[in-house]
Amino acid sequence: MTADELAKRQAIIDACRRMNALGINQGTSGNISVRHGDGLLITPTSLPYDTMTPDQIVFMAMDGSHPPGQKPSSEWRFHLDILKARADVNAVVHAHPTYCTILAIMGMEIPPVHYMIAAAGGDSIRCAPYATFGTVELSAHAVRALDGRLACLLDHHGMIALGQTLDKAMWLAVEVETLARQYHGCLQIGKPPLLSSAEIERVRQRMAGYGLSEG
Ligand code: 13P
């Protein structure tokens, strides 16, 4: 194993532990993948993050094949399909954050209640329809809900965040849970006023240059 591959495997384990420490996931209900060579590295199914070791991370080829002795995450199908469909993305984070999941159970998307929604690529964070975990149907729903976006909710399930890097996908996962929490809070008071699609587009373009210019 090259040093680069070992570092990627360790980074996946570190991100899993961080997800739980941050409170955006519980137990082993999340899973993470990162593009690697002509395939991806993905968390194994149902192994506790605390004791997970780099050799337990599974390398999966783009045809879904993997070493016979290893069991990839039960959600390998959507990780694979997303990385196939999205050349702009190299990391997929799936978790069951409480506020995202509350909205998803109610079949609600997150509307533009805060300008930070633009970080997920558009003026809403869609909620993919329900399908049983690990199925081709769930994967198809997720890929569609993520079209042109970097995050979506999964009805009666949780959330997916994407990134060019694992750090970016993790940052977005935390941000999406924050947005879900803010929206949930607003709903306790009433119907929140929304930002316009034009304003979210302006923010999106501004964010693209954020940190790159003096503007
Ligand atoms: P794994 O432990 O198989 O990754 O899956 C749990 C899960 O998130 C199902 O949605």
Side-chain angles (χ1 to χ4, degrees):
M1 188 185 305
T2 63
D4 171 58
E5 180 171 351
L6 182 61
K8 275 188 185 169
R9 287 170 179 257
Q10 188 59 52
I12 290 173
I13 296 170
D14 293 347
C16 284
R17 292 177 184 160
R18 212 156 75 236
M19 266 194 322
N20 286 19
L22 287 165
I24 62 163
N25 193 62
Q26 306 78 34
T28 59
S29 39
N31 26 76
I32 291 180
S33 67
V34 170
R35 199 185 294 279
H36 180 68
D38 52 2
L40 57 134
L41 292 166
I42 185 165
T43 43
T45 187
S46 68
L47 293 187
Y49 306 146
D50 284 348
T51 52
M52 196 178 280
T53 51
D55 55 299
Q56 291 175 324
I57 299 292
V58 181
F59 175 77
M60 177 175 278
M62 280 307 191
D63 62 1
S65 61
H66 57 84
Q70 287 191 303
K71 259 185 115 180
S73 166
S74 53
E75 298 293 13
W76 65 268
R77 171 71 64 179
F78 71 59
H79 284 267
L80 180 74
D81 289 347
I82 291 167
L83 289 172
K84 266 188 191 168
R86 298 289 296 269
D88 58 320
V89 154
N90 294 306
V92 179
V93 171
H94 167 56
H96 298 181
T98 303
Y99 287 90
C100 285
T101 308
I102 289 171
L103 298 177
I105 289 168
M106 302 305 288
M108 295 165 80
E109 62 173 29
I110 307 179
V113 281
H114 192 291
Y115 78 81
M116 283 303 285
I117 200 145
D123 63 356
S124 68
I125 293 170
R126 303 182 190 112
C127 182
Y130 181 79
T132 309
F133 81 95
T135 59
V136 176
E137 290 74 23
L138 178 62
S139 177
H141 290 327
V143 169
R144 203 168 313 120
L146 286 164
D147 186 31
R149 301 285 165 81
L150 291 170
C152 74
L153 306 182
L154 301 175
D155 188 1
H156 289 276
H157 187 157
M159 184 253 352
I160 299 175
L162 314 179
Q164 238 171 27
T165 63
L166 180 51
D167 279 351
K168 285 185 178 173
M170 281 294 290
W171 175 85
L172 186 59
V174 173
E175 184 54 42
V176 172
E177 174 64 350
T178 300
L179 287 163
R181 201 167 166 179
Q182 289 162 346
Y183 182 41
H184 176 271
C186 292
L187 290 170
Q188 311 312 303
I189 303 171
K191 194 169 183 286
L194 303 180
L195 292 168
S196 69
S197 298
E199 176 55 15
I200 296 301
E201 183 50 28
R202 247 191 317 273
V203 172
R204 215 176 60 76
Q205 284 173 20
R206 214 173 163 76
M207 276 178 172
Y210 182 68
L212 300 175
S213 71
E214 71 290 349

Short mmCIF file of all heavy atoms in Angstrom, two decimals, residues 43-92:
data_model
loop_
_atom_site.label_atom_id
_atom_site.label_comp_id
_atom_site.label_asym_id
_atom_site.label_seq_id
_atom_site.Cartn_x
_atom_site.Cartn_y
_atom_site.Cartn_z
N THR A 43 -15.83 2.93 3.76
CA THR A 43 -15.86 2.31 5.08
C THR A 43 -16.50 0.91 4.99
O THR A 43 -17.40 0.68 4.18
CB THR A 43 -16.69 3.15 6.07
OG1 THR A 43 -17.88 3.60 5.41
CG2 THR A 43 -15.92 4.34 6.57
N PRO A 44 -16.03 0.00 5.85
CA PRO A 44 -16.65 -1.32 5.91
C PRO A 44 -18.00 -1.22 6.61
O PRO A 44 -18.26 -0.23 7.31
CB PRO A 44 -15.67 -2.13 6.75
CG PRO A 44 -14.99 -1.11 7.62
CD PRO A 44 -14.94 0.16 6.82
N THR A 45 -18.87 -2.19 6.42
CA THR A 45 -20.18 -2.14 7.07
C THR A 45 -20.09 -2.49 8.55
O THR A 45 -19.31 -3.38 8.94
CB THR A 45 -21.19 -3.08 6.35
OG1 THR A 45 -22.48 -2.87 6.92
CG2 THR A 45 -20.83 -4.55 6.45
N SER A 46 -20.81 -1.76 9.34
CA SER A 46 -21.09 -2.05 10.76
C SER A 46 -19.90 -2.25 11.69
O SER A 46 -20.06 -2.85 12.75
CB SER A 46 -22.02 -3.28 10.86
OG SER A 46 -21.33 -4.43 10.44
N LEU A 47 -18.73 -1.75 11.34
CA LEU A 47 -17.59 -1.85 12.26
C LEU A 47 -17.46 -0.55 13.05
O LEU A 47 -17.51 0.53 12.46
CB LEU A 47 -16.29 -2.13 11.51
CG LEU A 47 -16.15 -3.49 10.81
CD1 LEU A 47 -14.73 -3.65 10.27
CD2 LEU A 47 -16.46 -4.64 11.76
N PRO A 48 -17.30 -0.65 14.37
CA PRO A 48 -17.17 0.58 15.18
C PRO A 48 -15.97 1.41 14.75
O PRO A 48 -14.89 0.88 14.49
CB PRO A 48 -16.97 0.04 16.60
CG PRO A 48 -17.21 -1.42 16.56
CD PRO A 48 -17.20 -1.88 15.14
N TYR A 49 -16.19 2.74 14.65
CA TYR A 49 -15.12 3.63 14.18
C TYR A 49 -13.92 3.65 15.14
O TYR A 49 -12.79 3.82 14.72
CB TYR A 49 -15.66 5.07 14.03
CG TYR A 49 -16.87 5.20 13.15
CD1 TYR A 49 -17.85 6.16 13.43
CD2 TYR A 49 -17.05 4.39 12.04
CE1 TYR A 49 -18.96 6.32 12.63
CE2 TYR A 49 -18.17 4.53 11.23
CZ TYR A 49 -19.12 5.49 11.53
OH TYR A 49 -20.22 5.64 10.74
N ASP A 50 -14.22 3.50 16.44
CA ASP A 50 -13.16 3.61 17.45
C ASP A 50 -12.04 2.60 17.24
O ASP A 50 -10.88 2.88 17.54
CB ASP A 50 -13.75 3.40 18.85
CG ASP A 50 -14.51 4.63 19.31
OD1 ASP A 50 -14.36 5.68 18.64
OD2 ASP A 50 -15.25 4.53 20.31
N THR A 51 -12.42 1.42 16.77
CA THR A 51 -11.40 0.37 16.63
C THR A 51 -11.08 0.06 15.16
O THR A 51 -10.33 -0.85 14.87
CB THR A 51 -11.89 -0.93 17.33
OG1 THR A 51 -13.20 -1.24 16.84
CG2 THR A 51 -11.94 -0.75 18.84
N MET A 52 -11.66 0.87 14.25
CA MET A 52 -11.44 0.63 12.81
C MET A 52 -9.98 0.91 12.46
O MET A 52 -9.39 1.87 12.93
CB MET A 52 -12.36 1.56 12.01
CG MET A 52 -12.53 1.18 10.57
SD MET A 52 -13.68 2.32 9.74
CE MET A 52 -15.26 1.69 10.27
N THR A 53 -9.39 0.05 11.62
CA THR A 53 -7.99 0.23 11.20
C THR A 53 -7.93 0.42 9.68
O THR A 53 -8.83 -0.03 8.97
CB THR A 53 -7.14 -1.00 11.61
OG1 THR A 53 -7.81 -2.19 11.15
CG2 THR A 53 -6.99 -1.07 13.12
N PRO A 54 -6.87 1.08 9.18
CA PRO A 54 -6.80 1.40 7.74
C PRO A 54 -7.00 0.19 6.83
O PRO A 54 -7.60 0.30 5.76
CB PRO A 54 -5.40 1.99 7.58
CG PRO A 54 -5.10 2.59 8.93
CD PRO A 54 -5.75 1.69 9.93
N ASP A 55 -6.50 -0.98 7.25
CA ASP A 55 -6.64 -2.17 6.38
C ASP A 55 -8.09 -2.63 6.26
O ASP A 55 -8.43 -3.40 5.36
CB ASP A 55 -5.78 -3.32 6.92
CG ASP A 55 -6.10 -3.62 8.38
OD1 ASP A 55 -5.93 -2.72 9.22
OD2 ASP A 55 -6.57 -4.75 8.66
N GLN A 56 -8.97 -2.16 7.15
CA GLN A 56 -10.39 -2.56 7.09
C GLN A 56 -11.20 -1.70 6.12
O GLN A 56 -12.32 -2.06 5.75
CB GLN A 56 -11.01 -2.49 8.49
CG GLN A 56 -10.46 -3.57 9.42
CD GLN A 56 -10.99 -3.44 10.83
OE1 GLN A 56 -11.19 -2.34 11.35
NE2 GLN A 56 -11.21 -4.57 11.47
N ILE A 57 -10.63 -0.57 5.70
CA ILE A 57 -11.30 0.25 4.66
C ILE A 57 -11.25 -0.55 3.35
O ILE A 57 -10.23 -1.16 3.02
CB ILE A 57 -10.57 1.61 4.49
CG1 ILE A 57 -10.59 2.41 5.81
CG2 ILE A 57 -11.15 2.41 3.34
CD1 ILE A 57 -11.94 2.91 6.24
N VAL A 58 -12.35 -0.55 2.62
CA VAL A 58 -12.48 -1.40 1.43
C VAL A 58 -12.16 -0.62 0.15
O VAL A 58 -12.70 0.47 -0.05
CB VAL A 58 -13.92 -1.96 1.34
CG1 VAL A 58 -14.07 -2.89 0.13
CG2 VAL A 58 -14.31 -2.68 2.64
N PHE A 59 -11.32 -1.20 -0.70
CA PHE A 59 -11.15 -0.62 -2.04
C PHE A 59 -12.18 -1.27 -2.96
O PHE A 59 -12.26 -2.49 -3.06
CB PHE A 59 -9.74 -0.85 -2.61
CG PHE A 59 -9.64 -0.33 -4.03
CD1 PHE A 59 -9.51 1.03 -4.28
CD2 PHE A 59 -9.74 -1.20 -5.12
CE1 PHE A 59 -9.47 1.52 -5.59
CE2 PHE A 59 -9.71 -0.72 -6.43
CZ PHE A 59 -9.57 0.64 -6.66
N MET A 60 -12.97 -0.42 -3.62
CA MET A 60 -13.99 -0.92 -4.55
C MET A 60 -13.70 -0.39 -5.95
O MET A 60 -13.47 0.81 -6.12
CB MET A 60 -15.37 -0.45 -4.06
CG MET A 60 -16.51 -0.85 -4.97
SD MET A 60 -18.10 -0.39 -4.25
CE MET A 60 -18.33 -1.77 -3.15
N ALA A 61 -13.72 -1.28 -6.92
CA ALA A 61 -13.54 -0.85 -8.31
C ALA A 61 -14.85 -0.25 -8.80
O ALA A 61 -15.90 -0.42 -8.18
CB ALA A 61 -13.14 -2.05 -9.17
N MET A 62 -14.80 0.47 -9.93
CA MET A 62 -15.99 1.16 -10.44
C MET A 62 -17.08 0.20 -10.92
O MET A 62 -18.19 0.64 -11.23
CB MET A 62 -15.60 2.16 -11.53
CG MET A 62 -15.04 3.46 -10.96
SD MET A 62 -16.16 4.21 -9.73
CE MET A 62 -15.43 5.81 -9.50
N ASP A 63 -16.78 -1.10 -10.98
CA ASP A 63 -17.84 -2.06 -11.31
C ASP A 63 -18.44 -2.68 -10.04
O ASP A 63 -19.23 -3.61 -10.09
CB ASP A 63 -17.31 -3.17 -12.23
CG ASP A 63 -16.20 -3.99 -11.56
OD1 ASP A 63 -15.85 -3.71 -10.39
OD2 ASP A 63 -15.67 -4.90 -12.22
N GLY A 64 -18.05 -2.14 -8.88
CA GLY A 64 -18.62 -2.60 -7.61
C GLY A 64 -17.88 -3.78 -6.99
O GLY A 64 -18.22 -4.23 -5.90
N SER A 65 -16.86 -4.27 -7.68
CA SER A 65 -16.14 -5.43 -7.13
C SER A 65 -15.17 -4.98 -6.03
O SER A 65 -14.72 -3.82 -6.01
CB SER A 65 -15.39 -6.17 -8.25
OG SER A 65 -14.45 -5.30 -8.84
N HIS A 66 -14.88 -5.91 -5.12
CA HIS A 66 -14.00 -5.60 -3.99
C HIS A 66 -13.38 -6.90 -3.50
O HIS A 66 -13.87 -7.99 -3.84
CB HIS A 66 -14.80 -4.90 -2.87
CG HIS A 66 -15.97 -5.71 -2.39
ND1 HIS A 66 -15.86 -6.70 -1.44
CD2 HIS A 66 -17.26 -5.69 -2.77
CE1 HIS A 66 -17.04 -7.24 -1.24
NE2 HIS A 66 -17.92 -6.67 -2.03
N PRO A 67 -12.34 -6.83 -2.67
CA PRO A 67 -11.72 -8.06 -2.18
C PRO A 67 -12.76 -8.94 -1.49
O PRO A 67 -13.56 -8.44 -0.68
CB PRO A 67 -10.67 -7.56 -1.18
CG PRO A 67 -10.37 -6.16 -1.60
CD PRO A 67 -11.65 -5.62 -2.18
N PRO A 68 -12.78 -10.24 -1.78
CA PRO A 68 -13.84 -11.14 -1.31
C PRO A 68 -13.95 -11.22 0.22
O PRO A 68 -15.04 -11.39 0.76
CB PRO A 68 -13.45 -12.51 -1.89
CG PRO A 68 -12.07 -12.36 -2.43
CD PRO A 68 -11.81 -10.92 -2.66
N GLY A 69 -12.84 -11.04 0.92
CA GLY A 69 -12.88 -11.16 2.37
C GLY A 69 -13.44 -9.93 3.08
O GLY A 69 -13.59 -9.92 4.29
N GLN A 70 -13.74 -8.86 2.31
CA GLN A 70 -14.17 -7.60 2.94
C GLN A 70 -15.61 -7.28 2.62
O GLN A 70 -16.10 -7.62 1.54
CB GLN A 70 -13.28 -6.47 2.45
CG GLN A 70 -11.89 -6.50 3.04
CD GLN A 70 -11.15 -5.22 2.72
OE1 GLN A 70 -10.99 -4.86 1.56
NE2 GLN A 70 -10.70 -4.53 3.75
N LYS A 71 -16.29 -6.61 3.57
CA LYS A 71 -17.68 -6.22 3.34
C LYS A 71 -17.79 -4.70 3.37
O LYS A 71 -17.64 -4.07 4.42
CB LYS A 71 -18.57 -6.80 4.45
CG LYS A 71 -19.35 -8.05 4.00
CD LYS A 71 -20.29 -8.52 5.07
CE LYS A 71 -21.73 -8.39 4.59
NZ LYS A 71 -22.68 -8.85 5.62
N PRO A 72 -18.04 -4.09 2.20
CA PRO A 72 -18.17 -2.63 2.18
C PRO A 72 -19.47 -2.18 2.85
O PRO A 72 -20.38 -3.00 3.05
CB PRO A 72 -18.22 -2.31 0.68
CG PRO A 72 -18.77 -3.54 0.05
CD PRO A 72 -18.29 -4.70 0.88
N SER A 73 -19.57 -0.88 3.13
CA SER A 73 -20.80 -0.30 3.68
C SER A 73 -22.01 -0.79 2.90
O SER A 73 -21.97 -0.94 1.67
CB SER A 73 -20.71 1.22 3.55
OG SER A 73 -21.99 1.79 3.76
N SER A 74 -23.10 -0.99 3.62
CA SER A 74 -24.35 -1.41 2.96
C SER A 74 -24.83 -0.34 1.97
O SER A 74 -25.65 -0.62 1.11
CB SER A 74 -25.42 -1.70 4.01
OG SER A 74 -25.55 -0.59 4.87
N GLU A 75 -24.30 0.88 2.10
CA GLU A 75 -24.69 1.97 1.19
C GLU A 75 -23.69 2.15 0.05
O GLU A 75 -23.66 3.21 -0.58
CB GLU A 75 -24.85 3.28 1.96
CG GLU A 75 -25.92 3.27 3.04
CD GLU A 75 -27.35 3.15 2.48
OE1 GLU A 75 -27.52 2.82 1.30
OE2 GLU A 75 -28.28 3.37 3.26
N TRP A 76 -22.86 1.12 -0.22
CA TRP A 76 -21.84 1.26 -1.26
C TRP A 76 -22.45 1.66 -2.60
O TRP A 76 -21.84 2.39 -3.37
CB TRP A 76 -21.02 -0.02 -1.42
CG TRP A 76 -21.79 -1.21 -1.91
CD1 TRP A 76 -22.41 -2.15 -1.13
CD2 TRP A 76 -22.05 -1.58 -3.27
NE1 TRP A 76 -23.04 -3.08 -1.93
CE2 TRP A 76 -22.83 -2.76 -3.26
CE3 TRP A 76 -21.69 -1.04 -4.51
CZ2 TRP A 76 -23.26 -3.39 -4.42
CZ3 TRP A 76 -22.12 -1.67 -5.67
CH2 TRP A 76 -22.89 -2.83 -5.62
N ARG A 77 -23.69 1.24 -2.86
CA ARG A 77 -24.32 1.49 -4.15
C ARG A 77 -24.42 2.99 -4.45
O ARG A 77 -24.08 3.45 -5.52
CB ARG A 77 -25.69 0.83 -4.18
CG ARG A 77 -26.54 1.16 -5.35
CD ARG A 77 -26.10 0.56 -6.66
NE ARG A 77 -26.15 -0.89 -6.65
CZ ARG A 77 -25.83 -1.66 -7.71
NH1 ARG A 77 -25.45 -1.10 -8.83
NH2 ARG A 77 -25.90 -2.96 -7.62
N PHE A 78 -24.92 3.78 -3.44
CA PHE A 78 -25.04 5.21 -3.77
C PHE A 78 -23.68 5.92 -3.76
O PHE A 78 -23.47 6.87 -4.51
CB PHE A 78 -26.15 5.94 -3.01
CG PHE A 78 -25.99 6.22 -1.53
CD1 PHE A 78 -24.94 6.95 -1.02
CD2 PHE A 78 -26.98 5.78 -0.65
CE1 PHE A 78 -24.84 7.24 0.33
CE2 PHE A 78 -26.90 6.06 0.72
CZ PHE A 78 -25.82 6.78 1.21
N HIS A 79 -22.76 5.43 -2.94
CA HIS A 79 -21.41 6.03 -2.96
C HIS A 79 -20.82 5.86 -4.37
O HIS A 79 -20.29 6.81 -4.97
CB HIS A 79 -20.50 5.36 -1.93
CG HIS A 79 -20.77 5.79 -0.52
ND1 HIS A 79 -20.10 6.82 0.09
CD2 HIS A 79 -21.67 5.34 0.40
CE1 HIS A 79 -20.55 6.98 1.33
NE2 HIS A 79 -21.51 6.09 1.54
N LEU A 80 -20.91 4.63 -4.89
CA LEU A 80 -20.36 4.32 -6.22
C LEU A 80 -21.08 5.13 -7.31
O LEU A 80 -20.43 5.75 -8.16
CB LEU A 80 -20.53 2.82 -6.48
CG LEU A 80 -20.01 2.29 -7.82
CD1 LEU A 80 -18.49 2.25 -7.81
CD2 LEU A 80 -20.56 0.89 -8.11
N ASP A 81 -22.40 5.13 -7.28
CA ASP A 81 -23.17 5.81 -8.33
C ASP A 81 -22.93 7.31 -8.31
O ASP A 81 -22.88 7.96 -9.36
CB ASP A 81 -24.67 5.50 -8.19
CG ASP A 81 -24.99 4.06 -8.56
OD1 ASP A 81 -24.13 3.40 -9.17
OD2 ASP A 81 -26.10 3.60 -8.25
N ILE A 82 -22.81 7.88 -7.11
CA ILE A 82 -22.55 9.33 -7.01
C ILE A 82 -21.17 9.65 -7.59
O ILE A 82 -21.01 10.57 -8.39
CB ILE A 82 -22.68 9.82 -5.54
CG1 ILE A 82 -24.14 9.77 -5.08
CG2 ILE A 82 -22.12 11.24 -5.40
CD1 ILE A 82 -24.34 9.92 -3.58
N LEU A 83 -20.16 8.88 -7.20
CA LEU A 83 -18.80 9.16 -7.71
C LEU A 83 -18.71 8.92 -9.21
O LEU A 83 -17.94 9.58 -9.91
CB LEU A 83 -17.76 8.33 -6.94
CG LEU A 83 -17.55 8.79 -5.48
CD1 LEU A 83 -16.66 7.82 -4.72
CD2 LEU A 83 -16.96 10.20 -5.41
N LYS A 84 -19.53 8.00 -9.74
CA LYS A 84 -19.57 7.77 -11.19
C LYS A 84 -20.23 8.95 -11.89
O LYS A 84 -19.79 9.40 -12.95
CB LYS A 84 -20.42 6.52 -11.49
CG LYS A 84 -19.63 5.25 -11.61
CD LYS A 84 -20.58 4.16 -12.10
CE LYS A 84 -19.94 2.80 -12.01
NZ LYS A 84 -20.91 1.73 -12.22
N ALA A 85 -21.32 9.45 -11.29
CA ALA A 85 -22.11 10.51 -11.93
C ALA A 85 -21.47 11.88 -11.80
O ALA A 85 -21.78 12.78 -12.59
CB ALA A 85 -23.52 10.54 -11.34
N ARG A 86 -20.60 12.05 -10.80
CA ARG A 86 -20.13 13.39 -10.48
C ARG A 86 -18.61 13.50 -10.53
O ARG A 86 -17.91 13.28 -9.54
CB ARG A 86 -20.64 13.76 -9.08
CG ARG A 86 -22.15 13.81 -8.98
CD ARG A 86 -22.70 15.01 -9.72
NE ARG A 86 -22.25 16.23 -9.10
CZ ARG A 86 -22.92 16.87 -8.14
NH1 ARG A 86 -24.08 16.41 -7.70
NH2 ARG A 86 -22.45 18.00 -7.63
N ALA A 87 -18.11 13.91 -11.70
CA ALA A 87 -16.67 14.07 -11.87
C ALA A 87 -16.13 15.23 -11.02
O ALA A 87 -14.94 15.32 -10.76
CB ALA A 87 -16.34 14.31 -13.33
N ASP A 88 -17.06 16.12 -10.56
CA ASP A 88 -16.65 17.29 -9.78
C ASP A 88 -16.44 16.96 -8.30
O ASP A 88 -16.06 17.83 -7.52
CB ASP A 88 -17.72 18.40 -9.91
CG ASP A 88 -19.10 17.94 -9.44
OD1 ASP A 88 -19.48 16.78 -9.73
OD2 ASP A 88 -19.81 18.74 -8.79
N VAL A 89 -16.69 15.71 -7.93
CA VAL A 89 -16.71 15.35 -6.52
C VAL A 89 -15.76 14.17 -6.25
O VAL A 89 -15.66 13.26 -7.08
CB VAL A 89 -18.18 14.97 -6.17
CG1 VAL A 89 -18.25 14.01 -5.02
CG2 VAL A 89 -19.00 16.23 -5.92
N ASN A 90 -15.05 14.22 -5.12
CA ASN A 90 -14.14 13.11 -4.79
C ASN A 90 -14.44 12.47 -3.44
O ASN A 90 -13.77 11.51 -3.06
CB ASN A 90 -12.69 13.62 -4.79
CG ASN A 90 -12.25 14.04 -6.18
OD1 ASN A 90 -12.36 13.26 -7.13
ND2 ASN A 90 -11.80 15.27 -6.31
N ALA A 91 -15.41 13.01 -2.70
CA ALA A 91 -15.70 12.43 -1.39
C ALA A 91 -17.20 12.48 -1.11
O ALA A 91 -17.88 13.45 -1.48
CB ALA A 91 -14.95 13.20 -0.31
N VAL A 92 -17.70 11.41 -0.49
CA VAL A 92 -19.12 11.31 -0.16
C VAL A 92 -19.24 10.98 1.34
O VAL A 92 -18.64 10.02 1.81
CB VAL A 92 -19.80 10.17 -0.97
CG1 VAL A 92 -21.27 10.04 -0.62
CG2 VAL A 92 -19.62 10.39 -2.47
#
